[in-house]
Amino acid sequence: MTGHKPKNWLNCLPLAEWWYNTNYHTSLKMSTFQALYEYVPPHLSFPTIATTFVASVEEYLQRRDVVLDILKETLHKTQERMKWFADKKRTDRSFEVGDLVYLKLQPYRQTSIALRNNFKLYDRYYGLFPILQKIGQVDYKL
């Protein structure tokens, strides 16, 4: 938010604090604001064409619009970069009914297989399992 102008971080601190307190928390199943005050927090979204006769409020709205534009641009660039790295490792594979495939299990999550002391030596792939049915574009019944 202040990467372009690091000296202005103090001006953006209240907005960051508001965002954190009004953001949804998965552990609480609500925002911290809602947990504390027991009602949904009001949004700070003002119309972009709002005009006032108070100079300080007008200046605040203009600075806020600039910060929101920078945030949108930065988030868009970050999303594109994350997608590029994810697509770099991704390969398209398709299988037909009757093909034999290996099943990849994640040993730190999968506990129904034999529990071992050394996670490094776990089997990464199990099988050869035949594909019985193609359920979706990337879903198969083994």
Side-chain angles (χ1 to χ4, degrees):
M1 201 155 95
T2 61
H4 301 289
K5 298 180 181 178
K7 292 183 180 180
N8 291 340
W9 73 269
L10 193 58
N11 296 333
C12 297
L13 195 58
L15 284 176
E17 186 179 357
W18 175 260
W19 170 83
Y20 181 78
N21 289 331
T22 58
N23 197 17
Y24 181 81
H25 289 263
T26 54
S27 60
L28 294 175
K29 305 289 189 234
M30 63 179 69
S31 67
T32 53
F33 184 96
Q34 187 175 359
L36 182 63
Y37 297 110
E38 298 177 354
Y39 66 92
V40 179
H43 291 284
L44 287 178
S45 59
F46 304 113
T48 56
I49 56 172
T51 58
T52 63
F53 296 110
V54 181
S56 61
V57 173
E58 186 70 30
E59 181 183 326
Y60 169 77
L61 289 175
Q62 289 173 353
R63 278 189 290 134
R64 188 180 147 274
D65 288 341
V66 169
V67 168
L68 288 176
D69 289 340
I70 291 171
L71 280 174
K72 286 178 187 177
E73 178 186 337
T74 307
L75 285 173
H76 183 68
K77 285 181 183 177
T78 305
Q79 285 175 344
E80 286 179 351
R81 187 167 187 258
M82 290 173 71
K83 184 182 182 318
W84 183 79
F85 278 110
D87 289 346
K88 190 175 174 182
K89 295 180 181 179
R90 190 170 290 143
T91 58
D92 292 332
R93 293 188 179 120
S94 63
F95 303 102
E96 300 299 325
V97 175
D99 288 350
L100 296 174
V101 295
Y102 285 103
L103 178 64
K104 183 176 184 179
L105 297 178
Q106 297 175 343
Y108 53 89
R109 291 185 186 164
Q110 189 73 28
T111 57
S112 63
I113 308 298
L115 184 62
R116 298 184 186 171
N117 292 333
N118 191 346
F119 290 116
K120 269 187 168 179
L121 300 177
Y122 259 80
D123 294 332
R124 292 179 188 246
Y125 299 97
Y126 294 91
L128 287 168
F129 295 103
I131 294 179
L132 302 176
Q133 178 185 2
K134 186 171 182 174
I135 298 170
Q137 190 173 0
V138 292
D139 302 326
Y140 302 95
K141 182 177 183 180
L142 303 179

